[in-house]
Amino acid sequence: MPKHAPTPFRRRKSTRAALAAGVVAALGAGVLFTQANASSGDTQPRTARNATTPATAEPTPPAKAGPTTAPKPTTTRRATTTPKATTTPKATTAPKATAPAGPTTAKVTPPTANAPFDYQIGSPYSPPKNVQVVSRDRTAKPAAGLYNICYVNAFQTQPDALDWWEKNQPDLLLRDRSGTPVQDEDWGEVLLDTSTAGKRERLAKIVGGWIDGCAKSGFQAVEPDNLDSYERSGDRLTKQHNAAFARLLAQRAHAAGLAIGQKNTTELLPERRTIGFDFAVAEECGQYEECEAYAAAYADRVYVIEYTDTGYSRACSGWGGRLSVVRRDLDVSAPGGSYRYRAC
């Protein structure tokens, strides 16, 4: 996904307003706390740089100044280019997952609801006045004196790190029947294979090293991206697979003293307690009328990024008094050039 500088992941049609409304209804009906069940057929068990990455972790290529192409104006969610809309799998529960070995869970402090917020995953800069919560890529330093959320690309490879994965962990790349890696083609990223318990545990050791690095750097929380990679897998992955991997990451984050945020993917709101998410980072929930679903699930502890004036206006008018809402440019850039920042 992001390419250092990462750019936003814009909205997919498969999770539009009708789905969000359904999630709100489901939350009201009391299915929020569904328990994860073991998935049948499990025989075994993205990405940025960090100085604390274990020896087996993905390498740390030089940071890039920004995306080379702007996304097409379609209903997707991220940036650089636009992902294809896909059909959301209908799985309803997540399989049980075994946490990788790690320290006892430390004290975790989630961010404050409706705190002034800035989204800086593309490039770090001095935050606007009054900002209290900021999200940055894990390769960046936390903003002094603020609550910092660490961006980690957890479910897909970085485009410039594919060679490393092919050399060191080739079987952790999702492949089609011919053995060709399955790509999120618009992003130049290969999906990581979360389909078995063994592979999830091995991936959790690698991504977990990056999460530990976030904690060591001084972040207070982490947002693992591409939670919805199963939508781009050609049915090779399911919602249950990614939910189970997310649960391992949540356990690792909590063990390191970090809160963990659900990044997009309203389909997994009913699983959020089973997984262990503490808050949400929601891109374009105003544009796609999903803010209500996130607000209901996370008691307003939701950090909203809108990339259009229409979405920003909707989010502010409907939720600006309850949720942390910002308007950012598609490149999520630093001041100068295409930089855009507003807050309700």
Side-chain angles (χ1 to χ4, degrees):
M1 192 191 120
K3 297 183 180 180
H4 314 299
T7 45
F9 167 37
R10 306 199 58 202
R11 200 64 185 101
R12 298 177 190 277
K13 287 184 179 179
S14 60
T15 52
R16 298 186 61 174
L19 175 59
V23 170
V24 173
L27 294 174
V31 300
L32 181 61
F33 309 127
T34 54
Q35 290 298 315
N37 295 314
S39 62
S40 61
D42 275 3
T43 58
Q44 314 175 31
R46 160 191 175 199
T47 59
R49 311 171 305 279
N50 197 291
T52 59
T53 302
T56 58
E58 189 172 331
T60 60
K64 298 184 180 179
T68 56
T69 58
K72 300 175 184 178
T74 58
T75 52
T76 55
R77 208 184 220 162
R78 282 187 326 196
T80 32
T81 57
T82 331
K84 302 174 181 177
T86 56
T87 302
T88 305
K90 300 298 182 180
T92 56
T93 59
K96 295 180 180 178
T98 302
T104 302
T105 300
K107 181 179 180 181
V108 173
T109 303
T112 303
N114 200 25
F117 170 59
D118 192 11
Y119 201 54
Q120 299 186 3
I121 67 169
S123 183
Y125 54 87
S126 181
K129 186 178 181 180
N130 299 325
V131 163
Q132 297 175 14
V133 177
V134 63
S135 185
R136 289 179 170 178
D137 186 85
R138 72 181 181 92
T139 63
K141 293 181 179 180
L146 303 184
Y147 188 100
N148 288 268
I149 301 170
C150 187
Y151 173 94
V152 174
N153 184 2
F155 290 79
Q156 297 182 179
T157 70
Q158 289 296 100
D160 46 9
L162 180 57
D163 288 346
W164 180 91
W165 285 93
E166 286 280 22
K167 179 180 179 180
N168 296 280
Q169 303 288 347
D171 65 317
L172 294 183
L173 300 176
L174 186 68
R175 300 178 185 272
D176 62 21
R177 290 183 179 180
S178 70
T180 302
V182 178
Q183 288 199 22
D184 180 347
E185 295 181 355
D186 292 313
W187 294 87
E189 298 175 359
V190 170
L191 279 61
L192 296 176
D193 189 351
T194 62
S195 64
T196 71
K199 288 183 177 182
R200 290 192 292 267
E201 290 175 359
R202 290 168 58 201
L203 286 168
K205 290 180 180 179
I206 296 173
V207 180
W210 306 338
I211 290 173
D212 290 348
C214 292
K216 185 175 181 180
S217 294
F219 288 89
Q220 289 79 42
V222 61
E223 55 160 314
D225 201 11
N226 284 314
L227 178 62
D228 67 342
S229 68
Y230 58 88
E231 294 185 349
R232 300 180 285 283
S233 72
D235 295 329
R236 296 174 182 87
L237 300 177
T238 68
K239 184 173 70 171
Q240 299 104 309
H241 295 146
N242 279 15
F245 182 48
R247 187 178 179 212
L248 294 179
L249 300 183
Q251 292 169 341
R252 186 66 172 256
H254 291 160
L258 300 179
I260 184 168
Q262 175 175 340
K263 182 68 172 290
N264 306 322
T265 322
T266 53
E267 299 93 329
L268 282 170
L269 285 175
E271 319 290 346
R272 60 102 178 175
R273 287 219 170 188
T274 297
I275 293 170
F277 289 132
D278 304 297
F279 63 98
V281 176
E283 291 175 293
E284 300 195 286
C285 73
Q287 182 73 20
Y288 295 96
E289 301 180 357
E290 295 177 339
C291 295
E292 181 179 4
Y294 288 108
Y298 289 101
D300 296 346
R301 196 174 280 116
V302 183
Y303 302 84
V304 179
I305 308 97
E306 297 291 338
Y307 301 111
T308 67
D309 289 336
T310 298
Y312 177 70
S313 177
R314 287 177 181 170
C316 286
S317 62
W319 301 94
R322 292 174 54 180
L323 309 183
S324 301
V325 180
V326 297
R327 164 74 159 92
R328 288 301 333 260
D329 54 286
L330 285 171
D331 295 338
V332 200
S333 59
S338 62
Y339 172 79
R340 182 81 176 272
Y341 175 85
R342 293 173 63 190
C344 298

